[in-house]
Amino acid sequence: MELRIPFSGRSIRYTEEEIAVAAEAMRTAEPLTQGRHLRAFESAFARYQGVEDGSCFAVCNGTCALELCAALLRLKPGDEVIIPSHTFTSSAYPFVKQGARIVWCDVDADTHVVSAETVARAMTARTRAVVAVHLYGYAADARAIAGLCRDRGVALIEDAAQSIGSELCGRKTGTFGDMAIFSFHSHKNFTTLGEGGLVWVRDPGLRPIMPMLRHNGHCAWNFDREDYWKPAMGNVDLPMLDGEGLQPANYCLGEVECALGCRLLDRLDSINDAKRARALRFIDALADFPELEFLREPTRRHNYHLLVARMTSGPEARDAFMRRMYAEHGIQCVVQYLPLNRYDYYRRQGFGEADCPNADLFFDTMISFPFQPWMSEEDFDYMLVRTRETLAGLRGN
C-alpha cells in the first residue's frame, strides 16, 4: 500500500550552504581522506563537546568507534562487559568479538535507559567495563554511573550514538566516561552523508595510538631518511599499549563527510531543539490518553532522536493500534530493539539469559512513531489527529 507517512531512514535534509561545503570539498580536498577537513572536524567536535582538543577521532561509523573502544580494553578470558539488553546490536557485538562475556543489564522502567541501580545489580567481581547507552536520545544518568564505575575500578564507555547534543548537569553526553562513541548514521539527528562516527578518549596516554589503530597501523619511520622515498612513504606497525600489540583496521572517515560535519555542527542544537519542541506538542496533545505513555523531557537532556511510547494496555492493544495506523491511515509506526538476549546470534554465543523485566516489558509494548524533522506540519498534524482517532477507536468510542 502507499503510505502517507513512512518511517523514514533519513533524518535531515541539508541546506544549500551545507551542500555547497560538501561540493567544494569534492572539488578541492587533497587528499580525499586523512586530510585537513578531518583535523578540522575533530577539533570542532571537541569544542562542541567541551572536551580537550586531540581527544576526538572521527571514524567511518559508530560501530567502528565501538570496535576501537573494545580493542582499547584489552580484554582477557573471563572479563565481563555489562550492556543493556534493550539496545542496538552494535552496542554489544564488538565486545563479543574481543572475547568478552556479556552480562545483560536492565533498563529503568520510566526512562528506558540504564541507571546506576540497574548497572550495580549486574556487576560482579569479573566486571571489566560498562557500556551505558543513551538510547532514543535521552541522557542516562552518566554522572552516577561514572561514579559507580570509578568506585569499582571499572571502565565506562558511553554509547552516545543517538544522543549527540543531549545534556546532563550542563555537560554533553559522551563526556562522563572513560571513552564515548557517536554515530552519524542517516537516521541520526546529525549525519555525515549517511555514515560516520567518532570516538572520544579521556586518557591522554591512549590518544597517540589512535591514528594507527584507525588506519591500518600506518605511522612515521622512527629514523631520518636521506631519500624521502626510501624505504617507503611510511611505516606500518602494531599499535602498542604496555608492550601489548593491538590489531588495527581501516576505519577512516572521508574529507567530504568531515567538511560537511564541520558545517552541520553549527545547527545541531537548533535541530535538536526543534525536534524536542515538536515532540512535546505531540505528547501534550495526547495527555488525555494515558494508555499511550511517553517519556516527557522538556530540557536538553533529551534530543528526541526517536519519538517512542509504551502502550500501557498491553501488547495486543499495541499491535491493534499499529495495524490501524498502517492499514487505515497510511502511517508506519515501528517496534525497535528486540532485547539482544532473544536473538539467536547471542543465544549461540551463550548469552541467551537475562534478568531484564523492564526491558522485556518495554519492548513488548513499545511504539516508535515516524519523526523525521523534515515532516511537514500538515503531515505532523495528520499523524496527531489519526493517533487520537485510533486510540479513541480502541476504547470503543
Side-chain angles (χ1 to χ4, degrees), residues 142 177 209 336:
I209 70 165
Q336 292 167 297

Side-chain angles (χ1 to χ4, degrees), residues 130-182:
V130 171
V131 179
V133 184
H134 304 291
L135 201 63
Y136 303 117
Y138 182 77
D141 191 354
R143 185 172 63 172
I145 297 170
L148 172 67
C149 289
R150 281 194 302 272
D151 291 344
R152 303 287 183 92
V154 169
L156 172 60
I157 299 164
E158 289 181 77
D159 183 339
Q162 298 186 359
S163 69
I164 183 170
S166 298
E167 298 179 2
L168 179 70
C169 306
R171 291 167 56 182
K172 303 289 188 187
T173 55
T175 63
F176 292 86
D178 299 287
M179 292 175 266
I181 71 95
F182 302 85

Side-chain angles (χ1 to χ4, degrees), residues 207-223:
R207 297 172 192 168
I209 70 165
M210 294 301 291
M212 289 179 66
L213 198 58
R214 170 179 63 186
H215 189 209
N216 297 313
H218 279 237
C219 56
W221 296 101
N222 61 1
F223 55 87

Side-chain angles (χ1 to χ4, degrees), residues 260-334:
L260 174 62
C262 280
R263 177 54 61 92
L264 192 57
L265 278 171
D266 294 340
R267 69 178 179 111
L268 172 56
D269 286 342
S270 65
I271 292 170
N272 288 347
D273 290 345
K275 290 195 76 174
R276 185 183 313 103
R278 184 176 256 192
L280 293 176
R281 281 171 51 200
F282 193 78
I283 293 167
D284 290 345
L286 295 167
D288 54 334
F289 287 96
E291 57 264 60
L292 199 60
E293 180 182 86
F294 293 87
L295 174 57
R296 188 185 190 281
E297 177 53 64
T299 75
R300 283 187 169 177
R301 185 168 183 173
H302 206 328
N303 70 11
Y304 283 96
H305 158 60
L306 295 170
L307 179 60
V308 300
R310 186 176 78 83
M311 187 68 75
T312 60
S313 45
E316 294 80 7
R318 187 275 306 276
D319 293 344
F321 173 85
M322 290 182 62
R323 288 190 191 103
R324 291 192 185 187
M325 290 286 281
Y326 182 81
E328 299 177 14
H329 307 304
I331 300 171
Q332 186 184 27
C333 301
V334 302

Side-chain angles (χ1 to χ4, degrees), residues 118-132:
T118 64
V119 169
R121 288 199 295 269
M123 282 183 161
T124 74
R126 292 185 171 183
T127 302
R128 179 73 175 79
V130 171
V131 179

Side-chain angles (χ1 to χ4, degrees), residues 20 22-29 32 256:
E24 181 63 17
M26 291 170 66
R27 295 187 188 98
T28 64
L32 277 167
V256 176

